[in-house]
mmCIF file with all atom_site columns, all heavy atoms in Angstrom:
data_model
loop_
_atom_site.group_PDB
_atom_site.id
_atom_site.type_symbol
_atom_site.label_atom_id
_atom_site.label_alt_id
_atom_site.label_comp_id
_atom_site.label_asym_id
_atom_site.label_entity_id
_atom_site.label_seq_id
_atom_site.pdbx_PDB_ins_code
_atom_site.Cartn_x
_atom_site.Cartn_y
_atom_site.Cartn_z
_atom_site.occupancy
_atom_site.B_iso_or_equiv
_atom_site.pdbx_formal_charge
_atom_site.auth_seq_id
_atom_site.auth_comp_id
_atom_site.auth_asym_id
_atom_site.auth_atom_id
_atom_site.pdbx_PDB_model_num
ATOM 1   N N   . THR A 1 1  ? 0.830  -1.189  0.000   1.00 98.00 ? 1  THR A N   1
ATOM 2   C CA  . THR A 1 1  ? 0.000  0.000   0.000   1.00 98.00 ? 1  THR A CA  1
ATOM 3   C C   . THR A 1 1  ? 0.874  1.251   0.000   1.00 98.00 ? 1  THR A C   1
ATOM 4   O O   . THR A 1 1  ? 1.939  1.269   0.612   1.00 98.00 ? 1  THR A O   1
ATOM 5   C CB  . THR A 1 1  ? -0.916 0.006   1.235   1.00 98.00 ? 1  THR A CB  1
ATOM 6   O OG1 . THR A 1 1  ? -1.780 -1.127  1.192   1.00 98.00 ? 1  THR A OG1 1
ATOM 7   C CG2 . THR A 1 1  ? -1.760 1.264   1.289   1.00 98.00 ? 1  THR A CG2 1
ATOM 8   N N   . LEU A 1 2  ? 0.412  2.268   -0.693  1.00 98.00 ? 2  LEU A N   1
ATOM 9   C CA  . LEU A 1 2  ? 1.054  3.576   -0.648  1.00 98.00 ? 2  LEU A CA  1
ATOM 10  C C   . LEU A 1 2  ? 0.015  4.596   -0.217  1.00 98.00 ? 2  LEU A C   1
ATOM 11  O O   . LEU A 1 2  ? -0.908 4.901   -0.979  1.00 98.00 ? 2  LEU A O   1
ATOM 12  C CB  . LEU A 1 2  ? 1.635  3.949   -2.011  1.00 98.00 ? 2  LEU A CB  1
ATOM 13  C CG  . LEU A 1 2  ? 2.455  5.238   -2.043  1.00 98.00 ? 2  LEU A CG  1
ATOM 14  C CD1 . LEU A 1 2  ? 3.751  5.069   -1.248  1.00 98.00 ? 2  LEU A CD1 1
ATOM 15  C CD2 . LEU A 1 2  ? 2.766  5.652   -3.474  1.00 98.00 ? 2  LEU A CD2 1
ATOM 16  N N   . GLN A 1 3  ? 0.163  5.088   0.995   1.00 98.00 ? 3  GLN A N   1
ATOM 17  C CA  . GLN A 1 3  ? -0.691 6.155   1.492   1.00 98.00 ? 3  GLN A CA  1
ATOM 18  C C   . GLN A 1 3  ? -0.083 7.486   1.077   1.00 98.00 ? 3  GLN A C   1
ATOM 19  O O   . GLN A 1 3  ? 1.065  7.780   1.419   1.00 98.00 ? 3  GLN A O   1
ATOM 20  C CB  . GLN A 1 3  ? -0.828 6.078   3.008   1.00 98.00 ? 3  GLN A CB  1
ATOM 21  C CG  . GLN A 1 3  ? -1.686 7.182   3.615   1.00 98.00 ? 3  GLN A CG  1
ATOM 22  C CD  . GLN A 1 3  ? -3.131 7.074   3.212   1.00 98.00 ? 3  GLN A CD  1
ATOM 23  O OE1 . GLN A 1 3  ? -3.711 5.998   3.268   1.00 98.00 ? 3  GLN A OE1 1
ATOM 24  N NE2 . GLN A 1 3  ? -3.720 8.183   2.788   1.00 98.00 ? 3  GLN A NE2 1
ATOM 25  N N   . MET A 1 4  ? -0.847 8.286   0.366   1.00 98.00 ? 4  MET A N   1
ATOM 26  C CA  . MET A 1 4  ? -0.376 9.539   -0.201  1.00 98.00 ? 4  MET A CA  1
ATOM 27  C C   . MET A 1 4  ? -1.178 10.680  0.410   1.00 98.00 ? 4  MET A C   1
ATOM 28  O O   . MET A 1 4  ? -2.386 10.773  0.204   1.00 98.00 ? 4  MET A O   1
ATOM 29  C CB  . MET A 1 4  ? -0.544 9.534   -1.717  1.00 98.00 ? 4  MET A CB  1
ATOM 30  C CG  . MET A 1 4  ? 0.043  8.293   -2.393  1.00 98.00 ? 4  MET A CG  1
ATOM 31  S SD  . MET A 1 4  ? -0.530 8.069   -4.098  1.00 98.00 ? 4  MET A SD  1
ATOM 32  C CE  . MET A 1 4  ? 0.196  9.502   -4.875  1.00 98.00 ? 4  MET A CE  1
ATOM 33  N N   . ASN A 1 5  ? -0.499 11.541  1.142   1.00 98.00 ? 5  ASN A N   1
ATOM 34  C CA  . ASN A 1 5  ? -1.140 12.679  1.794   1.00 98.00 ? 5  ASN A CA  1
ATOM 35  C C   . ASN A 1 5  ? -0.552 13.982  1.276   1.00 98.00 ? 5  ASN A C   1
ATOM 36  O O   . ASN A 1 5  ? 0.522  14.014  0.685   1.00 98.00 ? 5  ASN A O   1
ATOM 37  C CB  . ASN A 1 5  ? -0.962 12.600  3.307   1.00 98.00 ? 5  ASN A CB  1
ATOM 38  C CG  . ASN A 1 5  ? -1.593 11.381  3.921   1.00 98.00 ? 5  ASN A CG  1
ATOM 39  O OD1 . ASN A 1 5  ? -2.645 10.916  3.471   1.00 98.00 ? 5  ASN A OD1 1
ATOM 40  N ND2 . ASN A 1 5  ? -0.970 10.854  4.969   1.00 98.00 ? 5  ASN A ND2 1
ATOM 41  N N   . SER A 1 6  ? -1.258 15.060  1.543   1.00 98.00 ? 6  SER A N   1
ATOM 42  C CA  . SER A 1 6  ? -0.800 16.399  1.163   1.00 98.00 ? 6  SER A CA  1
ATOM 43  C C   . SER A 1 6  ? -0.379 16.451  -0.295  1.00 98.00 ? 6  SER A C   1
ATOM 44  O O   . SER A 1 6  ? 0.685  16.976  -0.638  1.00 98.00 ? 6  SER A O   1
ATOM 45  C CB  . SER A 1 6  ? 0.343  16.838  2.085   1.00 98.00 ? 6  SER A CB  1
ATOM 46  O OG  . SER A 1 6  ? -0.061 16.843  3.436   1.00 98.00 ? 6  SER A OG  1
ATOM 47  N N   . LEU A 1 7  ? -1.216 15.947  -1.152  1.00 98.00 ? 7  LEU A N   1
ATOM 48  C CA  . LEU A 1 7  ? -0.859 15.811  -2.557  1.00 98.00 ? 7  LEU A CA  1
ATOM 49  C C   . LEU A 1 7  ? -0.711 17.170  -3.239  1.00 98.00 ? 7  LEU A C   1
ATOM 50  O O   . LEU A 1 7  ? -1.433 18.119  -2.928  1.00 98.00 ? 7  LEU A O   1
ATOM 51  C CB  . LEU A 1 7  ? -1.895 14.965  -3.282  1.00 98.00 ? 7  LEU A CB  1
ATOM 52  C CG  . LEU A 1 7  ? -1.805 13.475  -2.942  1.00 98.00 ? 7  LEU A CG  1
ATOM 53  C CD1 . LEU A 1 7  ? -3.097 12.763  -3.316  1.00 98.00 ? 7  LEU A CD1 1
ATOM 54  C CD2 . LEU A 1 7  ? -0.613 12.835  -3.650  1.00 98.00 ? 7  LEU A CD2 1
ATOM 55  N N   . ILE A 1 8  ? 0.234  17.219  -4.157  1.00 98.00 ? 8  ILE A N   1
ATOM 56  C CA  . ILE A 1 8  ? 0.525  18.416  -4.934  1.00 98.00 ? 8  ILE A CA  1
ATOM 57  C C   . ILE A 1 8  ? 0.485  18.059  -6.414  1.00 98.00 ? 8  ILE A C   1
ATOM 58  O O   . ILE A 1 8  ? 0.587  16.880  -6.777  1.00 98.00 ? 8  ILE A O   1
ATOM 59  C CB  . ILE A 1 8  ? 1.890  19.018  -4.547  1.00 98.00 ? 8  ILE A CB  1
ATOM 60  C CG1 . ILE A 1 8  ? 3.020  18.001  -4.754  1.00 98.00 ? 8  ILE A CG1 1
ATOM 61  C CG2 . ILE A 1 8  ? 1.869  19.493  -3.099  1.00 98.00 ? 8  ILE A CG2 1
ATOM 62  C CD1 . ILE A 1 8  ? 4.401  18.549  -4.469  1.00 98.00 ? 8  ILE A CD1 1
ATOM 63  N N   . PRO A 1 9  ? 0.356  19.043  -7.293  1.00 97.00 ? 9  PRO A N   1
ATOM 64  C CA  . PRO A 1 9  ? 0.263  18.716  -8.722  1.00 97.00 ? 9  PRO A CA  1
ATOM 65  C C   . PRO A 1 9  ? 1.429  17.904  -9.258  1.00 97.00 ? 9  PRO A C   1
ATOM 66  O O   . PRO A 1 9  ? 1.243  17.105  -10.182 1.00 97.00 ? 9  PRO A O   1
ATOM 67  C CB  . PRO A 1 9  ? 0.176  20.092  -9.384  1.00 97.00 ? 9  PRO A CB  1
ATOM 68  C CG  . PRO A 1 9  ? -0.478 20.945  -8.358  1.00 97.00 ? 9  PRO A CG  1
ATOM 69  C CD  . PRO A 1 9  ? 0.078  20.468  -7.049  1.00 97.00 ? 9  PRO A CD  1
ATOM 70  N N   . GLU A 1 10 ? 2.606  18.092  -8.700  1.00 96.00 ? 10 GLU A N   1
ATOM 71  C CA  . GLU A 1 10 ? 3.781  17.345  -9.138  1.00 96.00 ? 10 GLU A CA  1
ATOM 72  C C   . GLU A 1 10 ? 3.681  15.853  -8.863  1.00 96.00 ? 10 GLU A C   1
ATOM 73  O O   . GLU A 1 10 ? 4.480  15.074  -9.387  1.00 96.00 ? 10 GLU A O   1
ATOM 74  C CB  . GLU A 1 10 ? 5.042  17.912  -8.484  1.00 96.00 ? 10 GLU A CB  1
ATOM 75  C CG  . GLU A 1 10 ? 5.449  19.296  -8.996  1.00 96.00 ? 10 GLU A CG  1
ATOM 76  C CD  . GLU A 1 10 ? 4.597  20.426  -8.442  1.00 96.00 ? 10 GLU A CD  1
ATOM 77  O OE1 . GLU A 1 10 ? 3.836  20.211  -7.466  1.00 96.00 ? 10 GLU A OE1 1
ATOM 78  O OE2 . GLU A 1 10 ? 4.686  21.547  -8.977  1.00 96.00 ? 10 GLU A OE2 1
ATOM 79  N N   . ASP A 1 11 ? 2.726  15.445  -8.047  1.00 97.00 ? 11 ASP A N   1
ATOM 80  C CA  . ASP A 1 11 ? 2.498  14.029  -7.797  1.00 97.00 ? 11 ASP A CA  1
ATOM 81  C C   . ASP A 1 11 ? 1.701  13.362  -8.908  1.00 97.00 ? 11 ASP A C   1
ATOM 82  O O   . ASP A 1 11 ? 1.543  12.132  -8.898  1.00 97.00 ? 11 ASP A O   1
ATOM 83  C CB  . ASP A 1 11 ? 1.769  13.830  -6.471  1.00 97.00 ? 11 ASP A CB  1
ATOM 84  C CG  . ASP A 1 11 ? 2.575  14.291  -5.272  1.00 97.00 ? 11 ASP A CG  1
ATOM 85  O OD1 . ASP A 1 11 ? 3.808  14.088  -5.267  1.00 97.00 ? 11 ASP A OD1 1
ATOM 86  O OD2 . ASP A 1 11 ? 1.969  14.850  -4.338  1.00 97.00 ? 11 ASP A OD2 1
ATOM 87  N N   . THR A 1 12 ? 1.175  14.123  -9.831  1.00 97.00 ? 12 THR A N   1
ATOM 88  C CA  . THR A 1 12 ? 0.418  13.556  -10.945 1.00 97.00 ? 12 THR A CA  1
ATOM 89  C C   . THR A 1 12 ? 1.308  12.619  -11.758 1.00 97.00 ? 12 THR A C   1
ATOM 90  O O   . THR A 1 12 ? 2.380  13.004  -12.218 1.00 97.00 ? 12 THR A O   1
ATOM 91  C CB  . THR A 1 12 ? -0.125 14.666  -11.838 1.00 97.00 ? 12 THR A CB  1
ATOM 92  O OG1 . THR A 1 12 ? -1.057 15.460  -11.090 1.00 97.00 ? 12 THR A OG1 1
ATOM 93  C CG2 . THR A 1 12 ? -0.838 14.092  -13.052 1.00 97.00 ? 12 THR A CG2 1
ATOM 94  N N   . ALA A 1 13 ? 0.866  11.384  -11.921 1.00 98.00 ? 13 ALA A N   1
ATOM 95  C CA  . ALA A 1 13 ? 1.656  10.375  -12.616 1.00 98.00 ? 13 ALA A CA  1
ATOM 96  C C   . ALA A 1 13 ? 0.865  9.080   -12.652 1.00 98.00 ? 13 ALA A C   1
ATOM 97  O O   . ALA A 1 13 ? -0.175 8.948   -12.003 1.00 98.00 ? 13 ALA A O   1
ATOM 98  C CB  . ALA A 1 13 ? 2.996  10.141  -11.907 1.00 98.00 ? 13 ALA A CB  1
ATOM 99  N N   . VAL A 1 14 ? 1.384  8.129   -13.403 1.00 98.00 ? 14 VAL A N   1
ATOM 100 C CA  . VAL A 1 14 ? 0.927  6.750   -13.294 1.00 98.00 ? 14 VAL A CA  1
ATOM 101 C C   . VAL A 1 14 ? 1.826  6.063   -12.275 1.00 98.00 ? 14 VAL A C   1
ATOM 102 O O   . VAL A 1 14 ? 3.054  6.125   -12.384 1.00 98.00 ? 14 VAL A O   1
ATOM 103 C CB  . VAL A 1 14 ? 0.968  6.017   -14.637 1.00 98.00 ? 14 VAL A CB  1
ATOM 104 C CG1 . VAL A 1 14 ? 0.531  4.562   -14.469 1.00 98.00 ? 14 VAL A CG1 1
ATOM 105 C CG2 . VAL A 1 14 ? 0.064  6.724   -15.644 1.00 98.00 ? 14 VAL A CG2 1
ATOM 106 N N   . TYR A 1 15 ? 1.223  5.415   -11.310 1.00 98.00 ? 15 TYR A N   1
ATOM 107 C CA  . TYR A 1 15 ? 1.953  4.770   -10.234 1.00 98.00 ? 15 TYR A CA  1
ATOM 108 C C   . TYR A 1 15 ? 1.958  3.259   -10.422 1.00 98.00 ? 15 TYR A C   1
ATOM 109 O O   . TYR A 1 15 ? 0.925  2.654   -10.719 1.00 98.00 ? 15 TYR A O   1
ATOM 110 C CB  . TYR A 1 15 ? 1.326  5.123   -8.881  1.00 98.00 ? 15 TYR A CB  1
ATOM 111 C CG  . TYR A 1 15 ? 1.664  6.523   -8.431  1.00 98.00 ? 15 TYR A CG  1
ATOM 112 C CD1 . TYR A 1 15 ? 1.074  7.626   -9.044  1.00 98.00 ? 15 TYR A CD1 1
ATOM 113 C CD2 . TYR A 1 15 ? 2.585  6.747   -7.412  1.00 98.00 ? 15 TYR A CD2 1
ATOM 114 C CE1 . TYR A 1 15 ? 1.394  8.916   -8.657  1.00 98.00 ? 15 TYR A CE1 1
ATOM 115 C CE2 . TYR A 1 15 ? 2.908  8.030   -7.011  1.00 98.00 ? 15 TYR A CE2 1
ATOM 116 C CZ  . TYR A 1 15 ? 2.309  9.114   -7.636  1.00 98.00 ? 15 TYR A CZ  1
ATOM 117 O OH  . TYR A 1 15 ? 2.630  10.399  -7.236  1.00 98.00 ? 15 TYR A OH  1
ATOM 118 N N   . TYR A 1 16 ? 3.121  2.664   -10.222 1.00 97.00 ? 16 TYR A N   1
ATOM 119 C CA  . TYR A 1 16 ? 3.330  1.239   -10.385 1.00 97.00 ? 16 TYR A CA  1
ATOM 120 C C   . TYR A 1 16 ? 3.985  0.664   -9.135  1.00 97.00 ? 16 TYR A C   1
ATOM 121 O O   . TYR A 1 16 ? 4.812  1.321   -8.504  1.00 97.00 ? 16 TYR A O   1
ATOM 122 C CB  . TYR A 1 16 ? 4.273  0.947   -11.554 1.00 97.00 ? 16 TYR A CB  1
ATOM 123 C CG  . TYR A 1 16 ? 3.837  1.483   -12.887 1.00 97.00 ? 16 TYR A CG  1
ATOM 124 C CD1 . TYR A 1 16 ? 4.157  2.772   -13.280 1.00 97.00 ? 16 TYR A CD1 1
ATOM 125 C CD2 . TYR A 1 16 ? 3.124  0.681   -13.771 1.00 97.00 ? 16 TYR A CD2 1
ATOM 126 C CE1 . TYR A 1 16 ? 3.774  3.264   -14.516 1.00 97.00 ? 16 TYR A CE1 1
ATOM 127 C CE2 . TYR A 1 16 ? 2.736  1.158   -15.005 1.00 97.00 ? 16 TYR A CE2 1
ATOM 128 C CZ  . TYR A 1 16 ? 3.066  2.453   -15.375 1.00 97.00 ? 16 TYR A CZ  1
ATOM 129 O OH  . TYR A 1 16 ? 2.687  2.930   -16.607 1.00 97.00 ? 16 TYR A OH  1
ATOM 130 N N   . CYS A 1 17 ? 3.662  -0.569  -8.819  1.00 97.00 ? 17 CYS A N   1
ATOM 131 C CA  . CYS A 1 17 ? 4.436  -1.295  -7.825  1.00 97.00 ? 17 CYS A CA  1
ATOM 132 C C   . CYS A 1 17 ? 5.306  -2.324  -8.522  1.00 97.00 ? 17 CYS A C   1
ATOM 133 O O   . CYS A 1 17 ? 5.050  -2.715  -9.666  1.00 97.00 ? 17 CYS A O   1
ATOM 134 C CB  . CYS A 1 17 ? 3.537  -1.954  -6.779  1.00 97.00 ? 17 CYS A CB  1
ATOM 135 S SG  . CYS A 1 17 ? 2.504  -3.306  -7.384  1.00 97.00 ? 17 CYS A SG  1
ATOM 136 N N   . ASN A 1 18 ? 6.347  -2.756  -7.827  1.00 96.00 ? 18 ASN A N   1
ATOM 137 C CA  . ASN A 1 18 ? 7.220  -3.778  -8.381  1.00 96.00 ? 18 ASN A CA  1
ATOM 138 C C   . ASN A 1 18 ? 8.131  -4.306  -7.284  1.00 96.00 ? 18 ASN A C   1
ATOM 139 O O   . ASN A 1 18 ? 8.340  -3.651  -6.265  1.00 96.00 ? 18 ASN A O   1
ATOM 140 C CB  . ASN A 1 18 ? 8.067  -3.231  -9.528  1.00 96.00 ? 18 ASN A CB  1
ATOM 141 C CG  . ASN A 1 18 ? 8.427  -4.293  -10.557 1.00 96.00 ? 18 ASN A CG  1
ATOM 142 O OD1 . ASN A 1 18 ? 8.376  -5.498  -10.270 1.00 96.00 ? 18 ASN A OD1 1
ATOM 143 N ND2 . ASN A 1 18 ? 8.800  -3.861  -11.744 1.00 96.00 ? 18 ASN A ND2 1
ATOM 144 N N   . ALA A 1 19 ? 8.652  -5.488  -7.510  1.00 95.00 ? 19 ALA A N   1
ATOM 145 C CA  . ALA A 1 19 ? 9.795  -6.001  -6.774  1.00 95.00 ? 19 ALA A CA  1
ATOM 146 C C   . ALA A 1 19 ? 11.017 -5.662  -7.596  1.00 95.00 ? 19 ALA A C   1
ATOM 147 O O   . ALA A 1 19 ? 11.151 -6.147  -8.722  1.00 95.00 ? 19 ALA A O   1
ATOM 148 C CB  . ALA A 1 19 ? 9.680  -7.509  -6.565  1.00 95.00 ? 19 ALA A CB  1
ATOM 149 N N   . PRO A 1 20 ? 11.912 -4.822  -7.083  1.00 93.00 ? 20 PRO A N   1
ATOM 150 C CA  . PRO A 1 20 ? 13.033 -4.368  -7.920  1.00 93.00 ? 20 PRO A CA  1
ATOM 151 C C   . PRO A 1 20 ? 13.863 -5.489  -8.526  1.00 93.00 ? 20 PRO A C   1
ATOM 152 O O   . PRO A 1 20 ? 14.377 -5.329  -9.639  1.00 93.00 ? 20 PRO A O   1
ATOM 153 C CB  . PRO A 1 20 ? 13.858 -3.522  -6.944  1.00 93.00 ? 20 PRO A CB  1
ATOM 154 C CG  . PRO A 1 20 ? 12.846 -2.980  -5.982  1.00 93.00 ? 20 PRO A CG  1
ATOM 155 C CD  . PRO A 1 20 ? 11.866 -4.106  -5.801  1.00 93.00 ? 20 PRO A CD  1
ATOM 156 N N   . SER A 1 21 ? 13.985 -6.612  -7.840  1.00 92.00 ? 21 SER A N   1
ATOM 157 C CA  . SER A 1 21 ? 14.779 -7.716  -8.371  1.00 92.00 ? 21 SER A CA  1
ATOM 158 C C   . SER A 1 21 ? 14.059 -8.507  -9.453  1.00 92.00 ? 21 SER A C   1
ATOM 159 O O   . SER A 1 21 ? 14.694 -9.300  -10.159 1.00 92.00 ? 21 SER A O   1
ATOM 160 C CB  . SER A 1 21 ? 15.200 -8.657  -7.245  1.00 92.00 ? 21 SER A CB  1
ATOM 161 O OG  . SER A 1 21 ? 14.073 -9.253  -6.633  1.00 92.00 ? 21 SER A OG  1
ATOM 162 N N   . LEU A 1 22 ? 12.761 -8.318  -9.600  1.00 89.00 ? 22 LEU A N   1
ATOM 163 C CA  . LEU A 1 22 ? 11.991 -9.053  -10.600 1.00 89.00 ? 22 LEU A CA  1
ATOM 164 C C   . LEU A 1 22 ? 11.665 -8.202  -11.817 1.00 89.00 ? 22 LEU A C   1
ATOM 165 O O   . LEU A 1 22 ? 11.634 -8.708  -12.932 1.00 89.00 ? 22 LEU A O   1
ATOM 166 C CB  . LEU A 1 22 ? 10.692 -9.575  -9.988  1.00 89.00 ? 22 LEU A CB  1
ATOM 167 C CG  . LEU A 1 22 ? 10.839 -10.588 -8.860  1.00 89.00 ? 22 LEU A CG  1
ATOM 168 C CD1 . LEU A 1 22 ? 9.467  -10.984 -8.333  1.00 89.00 ? 22 LEU A CD1 1
ATOM 169 C CD2 . LEU A 1 22 ? 11.606 -11.815 -9.324  1.00 89.00 ? 22 LEU A CD2 1
ATOM 170 N N   . SER A 1 23 ? 11.371 -6.951  -11.616 1.00 84.00 ? 23 SER A N   1
ATOM 171 C CA  . SER A 1 23 ? 11.109 -6.001  -12.688 1.00 84.00 ? 23 SER A CA  1
ATOM 172 C C   . SER A 1 23 ? 10.010 -6.488  -13.629 1.00 84.00 ? 23 SER A C   1
ATOM 173 O O   . SER A 1 23 ? 10.203 -6.605  -14.836 1.00 84.00 ? 23 SER A O   1
ATOM 174 C CB  . SER A 1 23 ? 12.392 -5.703  -13.472 1.00 84.00 ? 23 SER A CB  1
ATOM 175 O OG  . SER A 1 23 ? 12.194 -4.607  -14.355 1.00 84.00 ? 23 SER A OG  1
ATOM 176 N N   . VAL A 1 24 ? 8.861  -6.781  -13.056 1.00 85.00 ? 24 VAL A N   1
ATOM 177 C CA  . VAL A 1 24 ? 7.665  -7.105  -13.820 1.00 85.00 ? 24 VAL A CA  1
ATOM 178 C C   . VAL A 1 24 ? 6.620  -6.058  -13.487 1.00 85.00 ? 24 VAL A C   1
ATOM 179 O O   . VAL A 1 24 ? 6.310  -5.834  -12.318 1.00 85.00 ? 24 VAL A O   1
ATOM 180 C CB  . VAL A 1 24 ? 7.144  -8.518  -13.503 1.00 85.00 ? 24 VAL A CB  1
ATOM 181 C CG1 . VAL A 1 24 ? 5.827  -8.775  -14.218 1.00 85.00 ? 24 VAL A CG1 1
ATOM 182 C CG2 . VAL A 1 24 ? 8.177  -9.558  -13.905 1.00 85.00 ? 24 VAL A CG2 1
ATOM 183 N N   . TRP A 1 25 ? 6.070  -5.446  -14.520 1.00 89.00 ? 25 TRP A N   1
ATOM 184 C CA  . TRP A 1 25 ? 5.216  -4.285  -14.340 1.00 89.00 ? 25 TRP A CA  1
ATOM 185 C C   . TRP A 1 25 ? 3.760  -4.592  -14.637 1.00 89.00 ? 25 TRP A C   1
ATOM 186 O O   . TRP A 1 25 ? 3.443  -5.300  -15.586 1.00 89.00 ? 25 TRP A O   1
ATOM 187 C CB  . TRP A 1 25 ? 5.692  -3.142  -15.242 1.00 89.00 ? 25 TRP A CB  1
ATOM 188 C CG  . TRP A 1 25 ? 7.112  -2.778  -14.974 1.00 89.00 ? 25 TRP A CG  1
ATOM 189 C CD1 . TRP A 1 25 ? 8.219  -3.244  -15.620 1.00 89.00 ? 25 TRP A CD1 1
ATOM 190 C CD2 . TRP A 1 25 ? 7.584  -1.904  -13.948 1.00 89.00 ? 25 TRP A CD2 1
ATOM 191 N NE1 . TRP A 1 25 ? 9.354  -2.708  -15.067 1.00 89.00 ? 25 TRP A NE1 1
ATOM 192 C CE2 . TRP A 1 25 ? 8.997  -1.883  -14.053 1.00 89.00 ? 25 TRP A CE2 1
ATOM 193 C CE3 . TRP A 1 25 ? 6.954  -1.130  -12.976 1.00 89.00 ? 25 TRP A CE3 1
ATOM 194 C CZ2 . TRP A 1 25 ? 9.783  -1.116  -13.194 1.00 89.00 ? 25 TRP A CZ2 1
ATOM 195 C CZ3 . TRP A 1 25 ? 7.736  -0.377  -12.120 1.00 89.00 ? 25 TRP A CZ3 1
ATOM 196 C CH2 . TRP A 1 25 ? 9.130  -0.369  -12.241 1.00 89.00 ? 25 TRP A CH2 1
ATOM 197 N N   . GLY A 1 26 ? 2.895  -4.055  -13.814 1.00 89.00 ? 26 GLY A N   1
ATOM 198 C CA  . GLY A 1 26 ? 1.471  -4.127  -14.068 1.00 89.00 ? 26 GLY A CA  1
ATOM 199 C C   . GLY A 1 26 ? 1.011  -2.973  -14.930 1.00 89.00 ? 26 GLY A C   1
ATOM 200 O O   . GLY A 1 26 ? 1.804  -2.310  -15.609 1.00 89.00 ? 26 GLY A O   1
ATOM 201 N N   . GLN A 1 27 ? -0.284 -2.722  -14.911 1.00 95.00 ? 27 GLN A N   1
ATOM 202 C CA  . GLN A 1 27 ? -0.851 -1.669  -15.751 1.00 95.00 ? 27 GLN A CA  1
ATOM 203 C C   . GLN A 1 27 ? -0.722 -0.288  -15.130 1.00 95.00 ? 27 GLN A C   1
ATOM 204 O O   . GLN A 1 27 ? -0.913 0.719   -15.812 1.00 95.00 ? 27 GLN A O   1
ATOM 205 C CB  . GLN A 1 27 ? -2.321 -1.970  -16.047 1.00 95.00 ? 27 GLN A CB  1
ATOM 206 C CG  . GLN A 1 27 ? -3.305 -1.546  -14.964 1.00 95.00 ? 27 GLN A CG  1
ATOM 207 C CD  . GLN A 1 27 ? -3.306 -2.440  -13.732 1.00 95.00 ? 27 GLN A CD  1
ATOM 208 O OE1 . GLN A 1 27 ? -2.614 -3.455  -13.669 1.00 95.00 ? 27 GLN A OE1 1
ATOM 209 N NE2 . GLN A 1 27 ? -4.090 -2.053  -12.730 1.00 95.00 ? 27 GLN A NE2 1
ATOM 210 N N   . GLY A 1 28 ? -0.422 -0.227  -13.859 1.00 97.00 ? 28 GLY A N   1
ATOM 211 C CA  . GLY A 1 28 ? -0.335 1.035   -13.156 1.00 97.00 ? 28 GLY A CA  1
ATOM 212 C C   . GLY A 1 28 ? -1.698 1.595   -12.803 1.00 97.00 ? 28 GLY A C   1
ATOM 213 O O   . GLY A 1 28 ? -2.734 1.118   -13.257 1.00 97.00 ? 28 GLY A O   1
ATOM 214 N N   . THR A 1 29 ? -1.678 2.629   -11.980 1.00 98.00 ? 29 THR A N   1
ATOM 215 C CA  . THR A 1 29 ? -2.905 3.327   -11.629 1.00 98.00 ? 29 THR A CA  1
ATOM 216 C C   . THR A 1 29 ? -2.650 4.824   -11.708 1.00 98.00 ? 29 THR A C   1
ATOM 217 O O   . THR A 1 29 ? -1.628 5.323   -11.227 1.00 98.00 ? 29 THR A O   1
ATOM 218 C CB  . THR A 1 29 ? -3.419 2.887   -10.238 1.00 98.00 ? 29 THR A CB  1
ATOM 219 O OG1 . THR A 1 29 ? -4.695 3.475   -9.984  1.00 98.00 ? 29 THR A OG1 1
ATOM 220 C CG2 . THR A 1 29 ? -2.441 3.251   -9.129  1.00 98.00 ? 29 THR A CG2 1
ATOM 221 N N   . GLN A 1 30 ? -3.562 5.535   -12.342 1.00 98.00 ? 30 GLN A N   1
ATOM 222 C CA  . GLN A 1 30 ? -3.373 6.949   -12.632 1.00 98.00 ? 30 GLN A CA  1
ATOM 223 C C   . GLN A 1 30 ? -3.758 7.808   -11.437 1.00 98.00 ? 30 GLN A C   1
ATOM 224 O O   . GLN A 1 30 ? -4.827 7.635   -10.852 1.00 98.00 ? 30 GLN A O   1
ATOM 225 C CB  . GLN A 1 30 ? -4.233 7.350   -13.836 1.00 98.00 ? 30 GLN A CB  1
ATOM 226 C CG  . GLN A 1 30 ? -4.187 8.839   -14.174 1.00 98.00 ? 30 GLN A CG  1
ATOM 227 C CD  . GLN A 1 30 ? -2.910 9.225   -14.855 1.00 98.00 ? 30 GLN A CD  1
ATOM 228 O OE1 . GLN A 1 30 ? -2.570 8.669   -15.909 1.00 98.00 ? 30 GLN A OE1 1
ATOM 229 N NE2 . GLN A 1 30 ? -2.172 10.166  -14.277 1.00 98.00 ? 30 GLN A NE2 1
ATOM 230 N N   . VAL A 1 31 ? -2.884 8.738   -11.108 1.00 98.00 ? 31 VAL A N   1
ATOM 231 C CA  . VAL A 1 31 ? -3.157 9.734   -10.082 1.00 98.00 ? 31 VAL A CA  1
ATOM 232 C C   . VAL A 1 31 ? -3.080 11.109  -10.730 1.00 98.00 ? 31 VAL A C   1
ATOM 233 O O   . VAL A 1 31 ? -2.083 11.442  -11.372 1.00 98.00 ? 31 VAL A O   1
ATOM 234 C CB  . VAL A 1 31 ? -2.154 9.639   -8.921  1.00 98.00 ? 31 VAL A CB  1
ATOM 235 C CG1 . VAL A 1 31 ? -2.321 10.813  -7.955  1.00 98.00 ? 31 VAL A CG1 1
ATOM 236 C CG2 . VAL A 1 31 ? -2.322 8.318   -8.189  1.00 98.00 ? 31 VAL A CG2 1
ATOM 237 N N   . VAL A 1 32 ? -4.125 11.892  -10.561 1.00 98.00 ? 32 VAL A N   1
ATOM 238 C CA  . VAL A 1 32 ? -4.157 13.263  -11.062 1.00 98.00 ? 32 VAL A CA  1
ATOM 239 C C   . VAL A 1 32 ? -4.475 14.188  -9.898  1.00 98.00 ? 32 VAL A C   1
ATOM 240 O O   . VAL A 1 32 ? -5.512 14.019  -9.241  1.00 98.00 ? 32 VAL A O   1
ATOM 241 C CB  . VAL A 1 32 ? -5.189 13.444  -12.178 1.00 98.00 ? 32 VAL A CB  1
ATOM 242 C CG1 . VAL A 1 32 ? -5.236 14.900  -12.629 1.00 98.00 ? 32 VAL A CG1 1
ATOM 243 C CG2 . VAL A 1 32 ? -4.871 12.530  -13.348 1.00 98.00 ? 32 VAL A CG2 1
#
């Protein structure tokens, strides 16, 4: 889980999770 507080416009992005050693990517989730 990523709890995101005090959001600012610079946080706008597609967010992805991953295990760095595996590097397999999902579809992401859009934050605006």
Side-chain angles (χ1 to χ4, degrees):
T1 298
L2 186 68
Q3 179 67 47
M4 309 165 65
N5 298 325
S6 302
L7 287 162
I8 58 177
E10 290 76 13
D11 296 322
T12 296
V14 178
Y15 284 73
Y16 302 87
C17 68
N18 209 340
S21 63
L22 297 179
S23 190
V24 175
W25 303 94
Q27 83 285 356
T29 186
Q30 176 76 57
V31 172
V32 177

